[in-house]
């Protein structure tokens, strides 16, 4: 069976934004979504630069598709770095990226950030990307539930994106597809507003990729449209039996912020990459022309957005300072306040207390590993309970077991041998004979009492304090 893909791309600025920072590219071989953010009115620059760089991905036969995608992502990241150089007002701009490369049999996937990829197969929807967000990290560690993440104040805080930094490594994987599969790439303007079950229903109900893309954008707008929304729907078909679809791009199509030529914004761009075919439907989603006095609205909107972001960050920081974990500080077991993982490369924790007298090296090896990886605690009292358990384990491991001392036989008296037990026979009970009194010791001779077996003396590792545990310190 020969497979083919048919795709449809749509974008909308939403109901609360004045411009589109999303960019998208769809062709018969490459599908890309980038959601720009940060910097001074430069999120659209970051997403557009990224799409242009990805569009230059070659079609060399025999090239490993994942390696090719990874190289293209690196090139896009370098383009963003070059676009920021000499423009300090753009510092901090960046973009997400989710891309699919068709190999003729399978799809190679590259992903950075919180734009998403989904696969609908046999009526079931599965997310095939992993969000690179602070809140998703909390879910992965079991600190909060997936339901809590939906309403978390820092749910949009990215921990990985393309921003010209050297550590923006993409997730790369192969997706093995079959005829009848339908895939979706989308910015968070859809996934933050529309629940997964509604996305599944819309994808399953649509007759073709174009209809599905239109329906998903409509759902995002009906949910308030607080952000730009961009979607690409991809159908995997049996080429021999494939029916025509308005969703199949016969030529490369570019949408959103990447539509306009931006040679000035991208020093490495030649300006040659333009949308090839732009029909009425695509013009409907193109960036809107400038409006008189728009700078006033932009300023007010920017102030509002910054205010909301500050409130969200303050709320997230306050929440993080109510978290505790047990870890290691200068070789000692310590209680920390905050989060064990870094956020955006920065530490968000501090030492709350070092109980003292509990070196990490004194712990059994299994507990040393747990402390090195940090141990979560529900609150400060729970953290103290964890430390108490660790101290007990260290002290118990430090005390040797009591040796078993065999009993010495009495001189001149044979050791009684075990006598087989006879069958009991009823008989009269005789009165017990009086027990002779023990002879008094000779004058000048001290009485001798049985020798007691000495208890082992704990030999505790240096610095270990077992006070308050079941082990008595020497």
């Amino acid at each position: 069976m020969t497979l083919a893909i048919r795709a449809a791309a749509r974008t909308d600025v939403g109901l609360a934004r004045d411009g589109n920072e999303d960019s998208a590219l769809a062709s018969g071989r490459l599908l890309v979504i980038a959601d720009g953010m940060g910097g001074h009115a430069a999120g659209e620059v970051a997403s557009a630069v990224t799409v242009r760089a990805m569009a230059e991905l070659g079609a060399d036969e025999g090239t490993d598709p994942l390696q090719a995608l990874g190289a293209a992502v690196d090139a896009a990241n370098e383009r963003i770095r070059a676009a920021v150089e000499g423009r300090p007002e753009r510092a901090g701009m960046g973009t997400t990226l989710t891309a699919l490369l068709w190999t003729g049999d399978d799809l190679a996937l590259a992903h950075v950030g919180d734009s998403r990829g989904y696969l609908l197969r046999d009526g079931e929807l599965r997310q095939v990307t992993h969000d690179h967000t602070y809140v998703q990290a909390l879910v992965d560690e079991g600190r909060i539930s997936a339901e809590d993440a939906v309403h978390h104040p820092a749910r949009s805080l990215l921990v990985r994106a393309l921003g010209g930094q050297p550590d923006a490594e993409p997730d790369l994987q192969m997706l093995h597809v079959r005829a009848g599969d339908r895939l979706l790439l989308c910015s968070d303007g859809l996934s933050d507003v529309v629940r997964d079950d509604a996305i599944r229903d819309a994808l399953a109900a649509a007759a073709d990729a174009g209809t599905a893309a239109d329906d998903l954008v409509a759902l995002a707008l009906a949910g308030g449209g607080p952000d730009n929304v961009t979607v690409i729907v991809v159908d995997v078909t049996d080429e021999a039996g494939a029916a025509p679809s308005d969703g199949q791009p016969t030529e490369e199509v570019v949408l959103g912020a990447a539509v306009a030529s931006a040679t000035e914004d991208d020093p490495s761009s030649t300006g040659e990459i333009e949308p090839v075919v732009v029909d009425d439907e695509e013009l409907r989603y193109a960036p809107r022309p400038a409006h008189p006095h728009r700078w006033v609205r932009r300023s007010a909107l920017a102030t509002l957005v910054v205010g909301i972001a500050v409130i969200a960050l303050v709320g997230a920081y306050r929440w993080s300072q109510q978290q505790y974990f047990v870890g290691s500080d200068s070789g000692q077991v310590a209680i920390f306040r905050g989060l064990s993982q870094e956020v955006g490369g920065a530490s968000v924790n501090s030492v709350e207390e070092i109980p003292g007298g509990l070196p990490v090296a004194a712990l059994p090896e299994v507990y040393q590993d747990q402390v090195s990886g940090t141990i979560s605690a529900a609150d400060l009292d729970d953290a103290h309970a964890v430390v108490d358990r660790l101290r007990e384990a260290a002290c118990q491991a430090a005390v040797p077991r009591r040796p078993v001392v065999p009993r010495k036989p009495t001189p001149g008296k044979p050791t009684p041998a075990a006598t087989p037990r006879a069958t009991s026979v009823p008989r009269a009970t005789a009165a017990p004979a009086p027990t002779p009194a023990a002879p008094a010791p000779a004058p000048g001779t001290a009485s001798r009492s049985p020798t007691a077996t000495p208890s082992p003396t704990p030999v505790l590792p240096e610095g270990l304090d077992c006070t308050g545990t079941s082990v008595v310190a020497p």
Side-chain angles (χ1 to χ4, degrees):
M1 178 188 298
T2 302
L3 298 178
I5 60 171
R6 299 176 182 275
R10 303 287 188 267
T11 189
D12 194 285
V13 297
L15 303 178
R17 296 295 181 94
D18 205 36
N20 200 341
E21 293 186 323
D22 289 359
S23 293
L25 177 149
S27 71
R29 179 170 177 266
L30 181 65
L31 308 123
V32 183
I33 276 184
D35 180 359
M37 72 286 180
H40 179 68
E44 64 272 21
V45 174
S47 68
V49 166
T50 295
V51 164
R52 290 191 183 90
M54 296 298 295
E56 296 175 9
L57 181 62
D60 298 335
E61 293 292 335
T63 302
D64 179 83
L66 292 181
Q67 183 178 357
L69 267 180
V73 174
D74 290 342
N77 195 46
E78 179 60 25
R79 294 277 186 90
I80 294 175
R81 185 198 62 77
V84 173
E85 281 188 349
R87 302 289 293 272
E89 70 275 12
R90 289 181 177 170
M93 79 173 186
T95 184
T96 69
L97 169 69
T98 304
L100 291 173
L101 177 63
W102 176 241
T103 68
D105 297 300
D106 296 307
L107 286 162
L109 170 67
H111 170 69
V112 181
D114 64 349
S115 295
R116 288 184 177 178
Y118 292 92
L119 170 64
L120 179 72
R121 174 177 290 174
D122 297 332
E124 294 189 4
L125 186 69
R126 175 170 66 93
Q127 185 177 334
V128 294
T129 55
H130 190 76
D131 294 349
H132 296 145
T133 60
Y134 166 72
V135 167
Q136 183 61 51
L138 297 180
V139 174
D140 294 342
E141 291 186 0
R143 292 176 176 269
I144 63 174
S145 67
E147 291 74 19
D148 293 335
V150 175
H151 307 289
H152 197 282
R155 60 185 177 276
S156 298
L157 182 61
L158 295 177
V159 296
R160 199 192 310 177
L162 297 184
Q165 304 301 320
D167 57 348
E169 291 292 330
D171 292 342
L172 299 171
Q173 62 173 307
M174 292 299 301
L175 297 178
H176 302 293
V177 294
R178 65 192 190 198
D181 286 348
R182 175 168 283 176
L183 295 103
L184 167 67
L185 303 184
C186 66
S187 63
D188 63 350
L190 175 70
S191 56
D192 277 358
V193 177
V194 184
R195 296 180 61 89
D196 283 2
D197 55 354
I199 292 176
R200 177 201 61 212
D201 293 345
L203 287 173
D208 54 54
T211 302
D214 289 334
D215 291 346
L216 290 170
V217 171
L219 284 174
L221 297 178
D227 197 0
N228 309 143
V229 54
T230 303
V231 302
I232 300 176
V233 179
V234 185
D235 283 343
V236 181
T237 65
D238 174 2
E239 192 172 47
S245 167
D246 68 337
Q248 182 181 21
T250 56
E251 298 183 68
E252 182 178 281
V253 173
V254 181
L255 301 177
V259 169
S261 176
T263 306
E264 177 184 351
D265 292 326
D266 182 0
S268 59
S269 172
T270 62
E272 297 174 356
I273 299 176
E274 297 289 342
V276 178
V277 177
V278 182
D279 57 22
D280 292 339
E281 181 70 8
E282 289 158 8
L283 285 174
R284 171 186 170 198
Y285 296 111
R288 300 170 184 174
H291 187 276
H293 308 298
R294 177 163 288 181
W295 65 271
V296 177
R297 295 171 59 194
R298 285 180 180 269
S299 298
L301 183 59
T303 301
L304 176 62
V305 170
V306 170
I308 293 173
V310 169
I311 292 172
L313 288 174
V314 169
Y317 178 77
R318 288 179 176 175
W319 177 86
S320 72
Q321 295 309 295
Q322 297 173 4
Q323 311 304 306
Y324 293 89
F325 65 93
V326 175
S328 172
D329 182 71
S330 301
Q332 291 285 324
V333 173
I335 297 174
F336 291 79
R337 178 196 291 267
L339 303 175
S340 57
Q341 73 274 10
E342 293 184 346
V343 177
S347 175
V348 287
N349 61 60
S350 59
V351 176
E352 175 73 10
E353 180 183 339
I354 299 180
L358 187 53
V360 176
L363 297 171
E365 186 173 348
V366 63
Y367 293 111
Q368 291 185 33
D369 293 340
Q370 290 183 15
V371 171
S372 297
T374 72
I375 303 173
S376 300
D379 50 35
L380 185 56
D381 289 340
D382 188 34
H384 282 124
V386 170
V387 172
D388 291 342
R389 290 194 295 271
L390 292 173
R391 189 185 302 278
E392 186 79 20
C395 292
Q396 291 290 350
V399 178
R401 292 188 175 183
R402 182 187 300 273
V404 177
V405 181
R407 187 193 306 180
K408 293 183 179 180
T410 305
K413 182 178 181 181
T415 303
T419 303
R421 179 177 296 177
T423 305
S424 63
V425 178
R427 59 180 177 177
T429 304
T435 303
T445 304
S447 61
R448 179 178 297 176
S449 60
T451 303
T453 303
S455 299
T457 300
V459 180
L460 303 182
E462 183 179 355
L464 177 60
D465 181 6
C466 292
T467 304
T469 68
S470 60
V471 177
V472 180

